Amino acid sequence: MDRESLCNRIAIVGGGSWATAIAKIVVEHTHHIGWYMRREDQIDDFIRIGHNPSYLTSVHFNTQEINFNSDLNKIVADYDTLVFVVPSPYLKHHLRKLKVRLKDKFIITAIKGIVPDENLICSDYFHQAFDVPYDQIACLGGPSHAEEVALERLSYLTVGCIDPEKAEAFANVLSSPFIKTKTSTDVVGIEYSSVLKNVYAIAAGICGGLKFGDNFQAVLMSNAVQEMNRFLMAVQPDIPRNVYDSVYLGDLLVTGYSNFSRNRVFGTMIGKGYSVKAAQMEMEMIAEGYFGTKCMKEINRHWHVNMPILDAVYNILYERINPQIEIKLLTDSFR
């Protein structure tokens, strides 16, 4: 795949807020994108009113620059670079009817989650299930709430790919006055940290719901980045990585502290006494950290990394341990 086709034949797969934010960035550079949305009525409304009818409704598009389609096979056949931005629990469902080969495409996963049942980060899933070579898979990470991107507030994104030229090519597509970009070869580290920061944001929310203050939240985040680093070093110790870079620590902090963070909101509801089901029903968007917690717990049964925050969140969400009791045990382990 040449650099020109990689940069100009780009399609977005997904119709949510982060998909909409990425589409805004890309179409301003390329002036043409393909866009897969599952629901025909969402596409019809989008074309009629000029913006996503359900997410980031303040972001207006020139719909003449967008080729919408509810047929994923058609989008995959027509475009060379595919940016997947669907919730991780639904990725397998979206791909179930796919008949067009993915192995010749450049796949970018902007999904900050694990594929449930498979317990695989998305790059491994695309490689194992669809034979996509690792040098044709990239990931997008960094502290980047869709709402702030929509408002054109300065944000920093990192494109990870083991092929530095492909990473650089797509980073150039994303670069703008309000988007700063960098590249990395640490795909595994970026993807796992993107999952873990959601788990830690749920922990932050639970503690907030229990009326712990800012002093403790700082200690929680300090311990969370150490826990994240222990896991990343166990899984892939031989790659240059600074866990204090924005794609790791920055993403952790914004997800743990921001009011835009759905995982923090979900955790806050749990800390206030909501059941998991009640919290999920009240939220309009998916808190991927709920699914990520179970997946990471199962993955860590292989690695045996000391991860007390992950264990505490798992016990609260899946073992129904009282949050006050579980967090008290957690606080006793912190220094």
Side-chain angles (χ1 to χ4, degrees):
M1 182 186 303
D2 60 42
R3 189 185 183 102
E4 183 176 350
S5 62
L6 186 153
C7 294
N8 292 325
R9 302 292 300 168
I10 299 174
I12 310 297
V13 178
S17 55
W18 188 215
T20 304
I22 293 174
K24 166 188 167 66
I25 301 169
V26 173
V27 78
E28 288 180 0
H29 178 93
T30 63
H31 299 290
H32 175 81
I33 57 170
W35 198 339
Y36 165 79
M37 292 183 181
R38 177 178 57 87
R39 290 168 41 206
E40 281 282 358
D41 62 324
Q42 186 180 11
I43 292 174
D44 293 341
D45 288 344
F46 201 131
I47 294 172
R48 179 174 54 83
I49 61 181
H51 63 76
N52 192 325
S54 304
Y55 302 94
L56 302 186
T57 55
S58 64
V59 180
H60 288 266
F61 291 83
N62 177 0
T63 56
Q64 297 298 313
E65 296 180 337
I66 303 172
N67 173 29
F68 290 103
N69 208 306
S70 61
D71 183 347
L72 183 58
N73 282 287
K74 189 70 169 67
I75 288 291
V76 172
D78 290 348
Y79 291 87
D80 300 310
T81 295
L82 304 169
V83 185
F84 282 84
V85 207
V86 298
S88 57
Y90 303 145
L91 180 61
K92 287 175 67 175
H93 174 77
H94 283 285
L95 294 172
R96 191 169 295 154
K97 296 180 181 179
L98 188 64
K99 298 176 182 177
V100 181
R101 293 198 320 176
L102 284 177
K103 65 184 300 184
D104 300 322
K105 308 294 179 176
F106 183 45
I107 304 297
I108 298 165
T109 169
I111 303 168
K112 297 186 176 184
I114 296 256
V115 181
D117 301 325
E118 308 294 334
N119 288 338
L120 294 172
I121 53 176
C122 294
S123 58
D124 285 341
Y125 179 69
F126 279 112
H127 177 73
Q128 294 184 24
F130 298 96
D131 296 322
V132 183
Y134 278 118
D135 65 355
Q136 289 176 204
I137 302 173
C139 64
L140 186 61
S144 50
H145 285 308
E147 294 82 357
E148 293 204 349
V149 171
L151 293 169
E152 298 191 358
R153 292 178 177 170
L154 184 61
S155 302
Y156 289 68
L157 295 175
T158 298
V159 180
C161 184
I162 64 171
D163 184 330
E165 290 189 2
K166 290 189 178 76
E168 189 67 35
F170 192 70
N172 289 338
V173 172
L174 299 176
S175 295
S176 75
F178 63 94
I179 298 290
K180 306 293 185 184
T181 60
K182 63 180 294 186
T183 63
S184 170
T185 57
D186 185 22
V187 176
V188 170
I190 292 171
E191 287 204 76
Y192 272 122
S193 66
S194 294
V195 177
L196 286 169
K197 57 94 179 182
N198 287 334
V199 178
Y200 302 141
I202 292 176
I206 291 172
C207 293
L210 292 171
K211 303 299 185 183
F212 284 83
D214 292 343
N215 292 342
F216 177 74
Q217 293 284 5
V219 175
L220 176 65
M221 291 294 102
S222 297
N223 280 268
V225 73
Q226 294 174 58
E227 183 170 306
M228 176 187 290
N229 191 48
R230 287 196 298 271
F231 182 81
L232 297 183
M233 290 300 295
V235 172
Q236 197 177 50
D238 56 347
I239 191 166
R241 175 192 301 118
N242 184 350
V243 78
Y244 303 114
D245 282 350
S246 63
V247 72
Y248 311 102
L249 178 59
D251 205 8
L252 167 64
L253 294 177
V254 77
T255 311
Y257 287 131
S258 175
N259 291 328
F260 287 130
S261 170
R262 65 193 71 172
N263 290 284
R264 181 185 170 87
V265 170
F266 175 74
T268 300
M269 295 169 73
I270 299 298
K272 288 181 175 180
Y274 283 72
S275 68
V276 168
K277 186 174 182 180
Q280 289 174 323
M281 289 177 64
E282 186 156 321
M283 292 184 66
E284 295 182 358
M285 296 186 288
I286 292 173
E288 293 210 44
Y290 170 73
F291 302 95
T293 297
K294 184 178 181 181
C295 293
M296 289 303 306
K297 177 71 173 179
E298 292 175 356
I299 289 169
N300 195 42
R301 289 194 175 102
H302 169 74
W303 296 102
H304 304 292
V305 178
N306 178 31
M307 304 184 77
I309 305 174
L310 170 67
D311 293 341
V313 176
Y314 178 86
N315 289 341
I316 292 168
L317 298 183
Y318 289 93
E319 300 294 343
R320 300 183 180 180
I321 303 298
N322 185 293
Q324 288 184 318
I325 295 173
E326 190 64 40
I327 296 300
K328 175 62 169 63
L329 293 172
L330 181 66
T331 62
D332 290 342
S333 72
F334 288 168
R335 295 293 182 267

